[in-house]
PDB file of all heavy atoms in Angstrom:
ATOM      1  N   MET Q   1     118.992 131.398 124.731  1.00 55.00           N
ATOM      2  CA  MET Q   1     119.399 132.791 124.544  1.00 55.00           C
ATOM      3  C   MET Q   1     119.109 133.575 125.818  1.00 55.00           C
ATOM      4  O   MET Q   1     117.990 133.551 126.322  1.00 55.00           O
ATOM      5  CB  MET Q   1     118.655 133.436 123.366  1.00 55.00           C
ATOM      6  CG  MET Q   1     118.988 132.860 122.014  1.00 55.00           C
ATOM      7  SD  MET Q   1     118.194 133.783 120.669  1.00 55.00           S
ATOM      8  CE  MET Q   1     119.226 135.256 120.646  1.00 55.00           C
ATOM      9  N   SER Q   2     120.098 134.270 126.318  1.00 64.00           N
ATOM     10  CA  SER Q   2     119.888 135.136 127.474  1.00 64.00           C
ATOM     11  C   SER Q   2     119.307 136.455 126.993  1.00 64.00           C
ATOM     12  O   SER Q   2     119.309 136.771 125.796  1.00 64.00           O
ATOM     13  CB  SER Q   2     121.212 135.390 128.191  1.00 64.00           C
ATOM     14  OG  SER Q   2     122.069 136.163 127.365  1.00 64.00           O
ATOM     15  N   ALA Q   3     118.809 137.244 127.939  1.00 68.00           N
ATOM     16  CA  ALA Q   3     118.274 138.557 127.583  1.00 68.00           C
ATOM     17  C   ALA Q   3     119.353 139.404 126.926  1.00 68.00           C
ATOM     18  O   ALA Q   3     119.092 140.160 125.988  1.00 68.00           O
ATOM     19  CB  ALA Q   3     117.724 139.248 128.830  1.00 68.00           C
ATOM     20  N   GLU Q   4     120.593 139.275 127.420  1.00 75.00           N
ATOM     21  CA  GLU Q   4     121.691 140.047 126.847  1.00 75.00           C
ATOM     22  C   GLU Q   4     121.976 139.633 125.405  1.00 75.00           C
ATOM     23  O   GLU Q   4     122.266 140.466 124.547  1.00 75.00           O
ATOM     24  CB  GLU Q   4     122.952 139.868 127.697  1.00 75.00           C
ATOM     25  CG  GLU Q   4     122.867 140.506 129.083  1.00 75.00           C
ATOM     26  CD  GLU Q   4     122.016 139.699 130.054  1.00 75.00           C
ATOM     27  OE1 GLU Q   4     121.705 138.519 129.747  1.00 75.00           O
ATOM     28  OE2 GLU Q   4     121.649 140.235 131.103  1.00 75.00           O
ATOM     29  N   GLN Q   5     121.911 138.323 125.145  1.00 71.00           N
ATOM     30  CA  GLN Q   5     122.147 137.837 123.781  1.00 71.00           C
ATOM     31  C   GLN Q   5     121.051 138.320 122.833  1.00 71.00           C
ATOM     32  O   GLN Q   5     121.324 138.726 121.699  1.00 71.00           O
ATOM     33  CB  GLN Q   5     122.216 136.311 123.783  1.00 71.00           C
ATOM     34  CG  GLN Q   5     123.484 135.760 124.417  1.00 71.00           C
ATOM     35  CD  GLN Q   5     123.446 134.254 124.538  1.00 71.00           C
ATOM     36  OE1 GLN Q   5     122.423 133.679 124.902  1.00 71.00           O
ATOM     37  NE2 GLN Q   5     124.558 133.612 124.235  1.00 71.00           N
ATOM     38  N   VAL Q   6     119.808 138.259 123.298  1.00 71.00           N
ATOM     39  CA  VAL Q   6     118.696 138.744 122.477  1.00 71.00           C
ATOM     40  C   VAL Q   6     118.894 140.223 122.164  1.00 71.00           C
ATOM     41  O   VAL Q   6     118.753 140.669 121.020  1.00 71.00           O
ATOM     42  CB  VAL Q   6     117.352 138.515 123.198  1.00 71.00           C
ATOM     43  CG1 VAL Q   6     116.218 139.212 122.450  1.00 71.00           C
ATOM     44  CG2 VAL Q   6     117.068 137.026 123.324  1.00 71.00           C
ATOM     45  N   GLN Q   7     119.215 140.977 123.198  1.00 78.00           N
ATOM     46  CA  GLN Q   7     119.427 142.409 123.019  1.00 78.00           C
ATOM     47  C   GLN Q   7     120.560 142.674 122.026  1.00 78.00           C
ATOM     48  O   GLN Q   7     120.464 143.565 121.177  1.00 78.00           O
ATOM     49  CB  GLN Q   7     119.749 143.048 124.369  1.00 78.00           C
ATOM     50  CG  GLN Q   7     119.972 144.557 124.323  1.00 78.00           C
ATOM     51  CD  GLN Q   7     118.694 145.316 124.071  1.00 78.00           C
ATOM     52  OE1 GLN Q   7     117.614 144.782 124.275  1.00 78.00           O
ATOM     53  NE2 GLN Q   7     118.823 146.546 123.604  1.00 78.00           N
ATOM     54  N   ALA Q   8     121.623 141.879 122.114  1.00 79.00           N
ATOM     55  CA  ALA Q   8     122.756 142.063 121.211  1.00 79.00           C
ATOM     56  C   ALA Q   8     122.358 141.797 119.768  1.00 79.00           C
ATOM     57  O   ALA Q   8     122.779 142.515 118.851  1.00 79.00           O
ATOM     58  CB  ALA Q   8     123.906 141.143 121.632  1.00 79.00           C
ATOM     59  N   VAL Q   9     121.550 140.759 119.550  1.00 75.00           N
ATOM     60  CA  VAL Q   9     121.107 140.440 118.195  1.00 75.00           C
ATOM     61  C   VAL Q   9     120.280 141.587 117.630  1.00 75.00           C
ATOM     62  O   VAL Q   9     120.459 142.017 116.485  1.00 75.00           O
ATOM     63  CB  VAL Q   9     120.282 139.132 118.204  1.00 75.00           C
ATOM     64  CG1 VAL Q   9     119.594 138.926 116.861  1.00 75.00           C
ATOM     65  CG2 VAL Q   9     121.196 137.944 118.504  1.00 75.00           C
ATOM     66  N   VAL Q  10     119.357 142.096 118.442  1.00 80.00           N
ATOM     67  CA  VAL Q  10     118.490 143.176 117.988  1.00 80.00           C
ATOM     68  C   VAL Q  10     119.309 144.429 117.673  1.00 80.00           C
ATOM     69  O   VAL Q  10     119.124 145.070 116.628  1.00 80.00           O
ATOM     70  CB  VAL Q  10     117.417 143.483 119.058  1.00 80.00           C
ATOM     71  CG1 VAL Q  10     116.617 144.731 118.672  1.00 80.00           C
ATOM     72  CG2 VAL Q  10     116.479 142.302 119.226  1.00 80.00           C
ATOM     73  N   GLU Q  11     120.236 144.775 118.555  1.00 86.00           N
ATOM     74  CA  GLU Q  11     121.024 145.979 118.337  1.00 86.00           C
ATOM     75  C   GLU Q  11     121.957 145.834 117.143  1.00 86.00           C
ATOM     76  O   GLU Q  11     122.228 146.810 116.440  1.00 86.00           O
ATOM     77  CB  GLU Q  11     121.831 146.319 119.601  1.00 86.00           C
ATOM     78  CG  GLU Q  11     120.964 146.724 120.785  1.00 86.00           C
ATOM     79  CD  GLU Q  11     119.997 147.842 120.451  1.00 86.00           C
ATOM     80  OE1 GLU Q  11     120.375 148.761 119.686  1.00 86.00           O
ATOM     81  OE2 GLU Q  11     118.841 147.787 120.926  1.00 86.00           O
ATOM     82  N   ARG Q  12     122.443 144.621 116.899  1.00 84.00           N
ATOM     83  CA  ARG Q  12     123.304 144.396 115.732  1.00 84.00           C
ATOM     84  C   ARG Q  12     122.522 144.632 114.440  1.00 84.00           C
ATOM     85  O   ARG Q  12     123.013 145.270 113.498  1.00 84.00           O
ATOM     86  CB  ARG Q  12     123.852 142.973 115.757  1.00 84.00           C
ATOM     87  CG  ARG Q  12     124.801 142.667 114.599  1.00 84.00           C
ATOM     88  CD  ARG Q  12     126.096 143.459 114.716  1.00 84.00           C
ATOM     89  NE  ARG Q  12     126.993 143.207 113.618  1.00 84.00           N
ATOM     90  CZ  ARG Q  12     127.829 142.168 113.542  1.00 84.00           C
ATOM     91  NH1 ARG Q  12     127.861 141.288 114.527  1.00 84.00           N
ATOM     92  NH2 ARG Q  12     128.619 142.019 112.515  1.00 84.00           N
ATOM     93  N   LEU Q  13     121.287 144.139 114.406  1.00 81.00           N
ATOM     94  CA  LEU Q  13     120.460 144.360 113.224  1.00 81.00           C
ATOM     95  C   LEU Q  13     120.148 145.846 113.068  1.00 81.00           C
ATOM     96  O   LEU Q  13     120.197 146.387 111.961  1.00 81.00           O
ATOM     97  CB  LEU Q  13     119.163 143.554 113.330  1.00 81.00           C
ATOM     98  CG  LEU Q  13     118.158 143.762 112.177  1.00 81.00           C
ATOM     99  CD1 LEU Q  13     118.792 143.403 110.840  1.00 81.00           C
ATOM    100  CD2 LEU Q  13     116.901 142.936 112.398  1.00 81.00           C
ATOM    101  N   ALA Q  14     119.828 146.519 114.179  1.00 87.00           N
ATOM    102  CA  ALA Q  14     119.538 147.951 114.112  1.00 87.00           C
ATOM    103  C   ALA Q  14     120.729 148.720 113.564  1.00 87.00           C
ATOM    104  O   ALA Q  14     120.582 149.649 112.750  1.00 87.00           O
ATOM    105  CB  ALA Q  14     119.158 148.463 115.503  1.00 87.00           C
ATOM    106  N   GLU Q  15     121.918 148.342 113.987  1.00 87.00           N
ATOM    107  CA  GLU Q  15     123.140 149.001 113.518  1.00 87.00           C
ATOM    108  C   GLU Q  15     123.323 148.800 112.015  1.00 87.00           C
ATOM    109  O   GLU Q  15     123.657 149.745 111.279  1.00 87.00           O
ATOM    110  CB  GLU Q  15     124.347 148.441 114.265  1.00 87.00           C
ATOM    111  CG  GLU Q  15     125.679 149.041 113.837  1.00 87.00           C
ATOM    112  CD  GLU Q  15     126.861 148.390 114.538  1.00 87.00           C
ATOM    113  OE1 GLU Q  15     126.628 147.639 115.508  1.00 87.00           O
ATOM    114  OE2 GLU Q  15     128.005 148.617 114.104  1.00 87.00           O
ATOM    115  N   LYS Q  16     123.098 147.582 111.548  1.00 86.00           N
ATOM    116  CA  LYS Q  16     123.268 147.308 110.124  1.00 86.00           C
ATOM    117  C   LYS Q  16     122.243 148.074 109.291  1.00 86.00           C
ATOM    118  O   LYS Q  16     122.539 148.522 108.178  1.00 86.00           O
ATOM    119  CB  LYS Q  16     123.148 145.809 109.865  1.00 86.00           C
ATOM    120  CG  LYS Q  16     124.350 145.019 110.364  1.00 86.00           C
ATOM    121  CD  LYS Q  16     125.614 145.504 109.671  1.00 86.00           C
ATOM    122  CE  LYS Q  16     126.848 144.825 110.245  1.00 86.00           C
ATOM    123  NZ  LYS Q  16     128.079 145.343 109.604  1.00 86.00           N
ATOM    124  N   LEU Q  17     121.039 148.221 109.830  1.00 86.00           N
ATOM    125  CA  LEU Q  17     120.014 148.943 109.085  1.00 86.00           C
ATOM    126  C   LEU Q  17     120.301 150.436 109.052  1.00 86.00           C
ATOM    127  O   LEU Q  17     119.903 151.129 108.106  1.00 86.00           O
ATOM    128  CB  LEU Q  17     118.635 148.678 109.695  1.00 86.00           C
ATOM    129  CG  LEU Q  17     118.096 147.272 109.416  1.00 86.00           C
ATOM    130  CD1 LEU Q  17     116.852 146.999 110.243  1.00 86.00           C
ATOM    131  CD2 LEU Q  17     117.795 147.085 107.937  1.00 86.00           C
ATOM    132  N   ARG Q  18     120.977 150.943 110.047  1.00 89.00           N
ATOM    133  CA  ARG Q  18     121.401 152.342 109.981  1.00 89.00           C
ATOM    134  C   ARG Q  18     122.444 152.536 108.884  1.00 89.00           C
ATOM    135  O   ARG Q  18     122.494 153.587 108.235  1.00 89.00           O
ATOM    136  CB  ARG Q  18     121.952 152.780 111.346  1.00 89.00           C
ATOM    137  CG  ARG Q  18     120.875 153.022 112.398  1.00 89.00           C
ATOM    138  CD  ARG Q  18     121.447 153.722 113.629  1.00 89.00           C
ATOM    139  NE  ARG Q  18     122.336 152.857 114.400  1.00 89.00           N
ATOM    140  CZ  ARG Q  18     121.924 152.061 115.385  1.00 89.00           C
ATOM    141  NH1 ARG Q  18     120.622 152.033 115.717  1.00 89.00           N
ATOM    142  NH2 ARG Q  18     122.788 151.311 116.060  1.00 89.00           N
ATOM    143  N   GLU Q  19     123.277 151.513 108.690  1.00 88.00           N
ATOM    144  CA  GLU Q  19     124.294 151.591 107.641  1.00 88.00           C
ATOM    145  C   GLU Q  19     123.704 151.348 106.258  1.00 88.00           C
ATOM    146  O   GLU Q  19     124.120 151.973 105.280  1.00 88.00           O
ATOM    147  CB  GLU Q  19     125.389 150.553 107.915  1.00 88.00           C
ATOM    148  CG  GLU Q  19     126.167 150.789 109.206  1.00 88.00           C
ATOM    149  CD  GLU Q  19     127.107 149.642 109.508  1.00 88.00           C
ATOM    150  OE1 GLU Q  19     127.117 148.660 108.728  1.00 88.00           O
ATOM    151  OE2 GLU Q  19     127.835 149.707 110.522  1.00 88.00           O
ATOM    152  N   ARG Q  20     122.720 150.426 106.192  1.00 88.00           N
ATOM    153  CA  ARG Q  20     122.107 150.070 104.904  1.00 88.00           C
ATOM    154  C   ARG Q  20     120.591 150.069 105.085  1.00 88.00           C
ATOM    155  O   ARG Q  20     119.961 149.026 105.261  1.00 88.00           O
ATOM    156  CB  ARG Q  20     122.597 148.705 104.448  1.00 88.00           C
ATOM    157  CG  ARG Q  20     124.110 148.620 104.272  1.00 88.00           C
ATOM    158  CD  ARG Q  20     124.538 147.244 103.799  1.00 88.00           C
ATOM    159  NE  ARG Q  20     123.949 146.914 102.519  1.00 88.00           N
ATOM    160  CZ  ARG Q  20     124.103 145.738 101.888  1.00 88.00           C
ATOM    161  NH1 ARG Q  20     124.842 144.802 102.450  1.00 88.00           N
ATOM    162  NH2 ARG Q  20     123.540 145.511 100.739  1.00 88.00           N
ATOM    163  N   PRO Q  21     119.973 151.255 105.040  1.00 90.00           N
ATOM    164  CA  PRO Q  21     118.554 151.356 105.396  1.00 90.00           C
ATOM    165  C   PRO Q  21     117.578 150.839 104.342  1.00 90.00           C
ATOM    166  O   PRO Q  21     116.407 150.631 104.665  1.00 90.00           O
ATOM    167  CB  PRO Q  21     118.363 152.857 105.615  1.00 90.00           C
ATOM    168  CG  PRO Q  21     119.417 153.496 104.762  1.00 90.00           C
ATOM    169  CD  PRO Q  21     120.583 152.572 104.791  1.00 90.00           C
ATOM    170  N   ASP Q  22     118.018 150.629 103.112  1.00 90.00           N
ATOM    171  CA  ASP Q  22     117.098 150.215 102.053  1.00 90.00           C
ATOM    172  C   ASP Q  22     116.872 148.703 102.079  1.00 90.00           C
ATOM    173  O   ASP Q  22     117.189 147.979 101.123  1.00 90.00           O
ATOM    174  CB  ASP Q  22     117.628 150.650 100.682  1.00 90.00           C
ATOM    175  CG  ASP Q  22     117.629 152.155 100.538  1.00 90.00           C
ATOM    176  OD1 ASP Q  22     116.730 152.799 101.104  1.00 90.00           O
ATOM    177  OD2 ASP Q  22     118.535 152.692  99.867  1.00 90.00           O
ATOM    178  N   ASP Q  23     116.316 148.234 103.170  1.00 87.00           N
ATOM    179  CA  ASP Q  23     116.106 146.796 103.358  1.00 87.00           C
ATOM    180  C   ASP Q  23     114.777 146.585 104.092  1.00 87.00           C
ATOM    181  O   ASP Q  23     114.749 146.478 105.316  1.00 87.00           O
ATOM    182  CB  ASP Q  23     117.257 146.208 104.161  1.00 87.00           C
ATOM    183  CG  ASP Q  23     117.120 144.696 104.351  1.00 87.00           C
ATOM    184  OD1 ASP Q  23     116.133 144.119 103.863  1.00 87.00           O
ATOM    185  OD2 ASP Q  23     118.003 144.103 105.002  1.00 87.00           O
ATOM    186  N   PRO Q  24     113.654 146.537 103.364  1.00 88.00           N
ATOM    187  CA  PRO Q  24     112.353 146.408 104.031  1.00 88.00           C
ATOM    188  C   PRO Q  24     112.224 145.139 104.855  1.00 88.00           C
ATOM    189  O   PRO Q  24     111.602 145.145 105.922  1.00 88.00           O
ATOM    190  CB  PRO Q  24     111.346 146.430 102.870  1.00 88.00           C
ATOM    191  CG  PRO Q  24     112.145 146.094 101.651  1.00 88.00           C
ATOM    192  CD  PRO Q  24     113.504 146.620 101.903  1.00 88.00           C
ATOM    193  N   GLU Q  25     112.838 144.039 104.386  1.00 86.00           N
ATOM    194  CA  GLU Q  25     112.742 142.794 105.157  1.00 86.00           C
ATOM    195  C   GLU Q  25     113.455 142.930 106.501  1.00 86.00           C
ATOM    196  O   GLU Q  25     112.981 142.442 107.537  1.00 86.00           O
ATOM    197  CB  GLU Q  25     113.340 141.632 104.355  1.00 86.00           C
ATOM    198  CG  GLU Q  25     112.545 141.244 103.123  1.00 86.00           C
ATOM    199  CD  GLU Q  25     111.152 140.763 103.457  1.00 86.00           C
ATOM    200  OE1 GLU Q  25     111.000 140.075 104.481  1.00 86.00           O
ATOM    201  OE2 GLU Q  25     110.220 141.073 102.694  1.00 86.00           O
ATOM    202  N   GLY Q  26     114.612 143.606 106.492  1.00 85.00           N
ATOM    203  CA  GLY Q  26     115.325 143.822 107.741  1.00 85.00           C
ATOM    204  C   GLY Q  26     114.537 144.701 108.699  1.00 85.00           C
ATOM    205  O   GLY Q  26     114.462 144.427 109.902  1.00 85.00           O
ATOM    206  N   TRP Q  27     113.926 145.785 108.163  1.00 91.00           N
ATOM    207  CA  TRP Q  27     113.121 146.662 109.008  1.00 91.00           C
ATOM    208  C   TRP Q  27     111.920 145.919 109.587  1.00 91.00           C
ATOM    209  O   TRP Q  27     111.542 146.133 110.758  1.00 91.00           O
ATOM    210  CB  TRP Q  27     112.654 147.882 108.219  1.00 91.00           C
ATOM    211  CG  TRP Q  27     113.704 148.922 107.986  1.00 91.00           C
ATOM    212  CD1 TRP Q  27     114.245 149.302 106.791  1.00 91.00           C
ATOM    213  CD2 TRP Q  27     114.340 149.744 108.975  1.00 91.00           C
ATOM    214  NE1 TRP Q  27     115.178 150.290 106.965  1.00 91.00           N
ATOM    215  CE2 TRP Q  27     115.256 150.588 108.308  1.00 91.00           C
ATOM    216  CE3 TRP Q  27     114.232 149.838 110.370  1.00 91.00           C
ATOM    217  CZ2 TRP Q  27     116.047 151.512 108.969  1.00 91.00           C
ATOM    218  CZ3 TRP Q  27     115.017 150.772 111.035  1.00 91.00           C
ATOM    219  CH2 TRP Q  27     115.902 151.593 110.351  1.00 91.00           C
TER     220      TRP Q  27
END
């Protein structure tokens, strides 16, 4: 995994949690 790929994974999860915040495991 490159730094860019890691960053993309993290930001994708952050985006999904903004859409569906009621997910303690995701947070």
Side-chain angles (χ1 to χ4, degrees):
M1 294 186 75
S2 67
E4 292 76 14
Q5 288 174 318
V6 171
Q7 181 71 19
V9 169
V10 173
E11 293 307 322
R12 182 68 181 277
L13 177 59
E15 179 184 348
K16 288 300 175 182
L17 287 170
R18 285 192 290 271
E19 296 173 358
R20 301 181 61 183
D22 293 327
D23 182 0
E25 292 298 322
W27 284 114

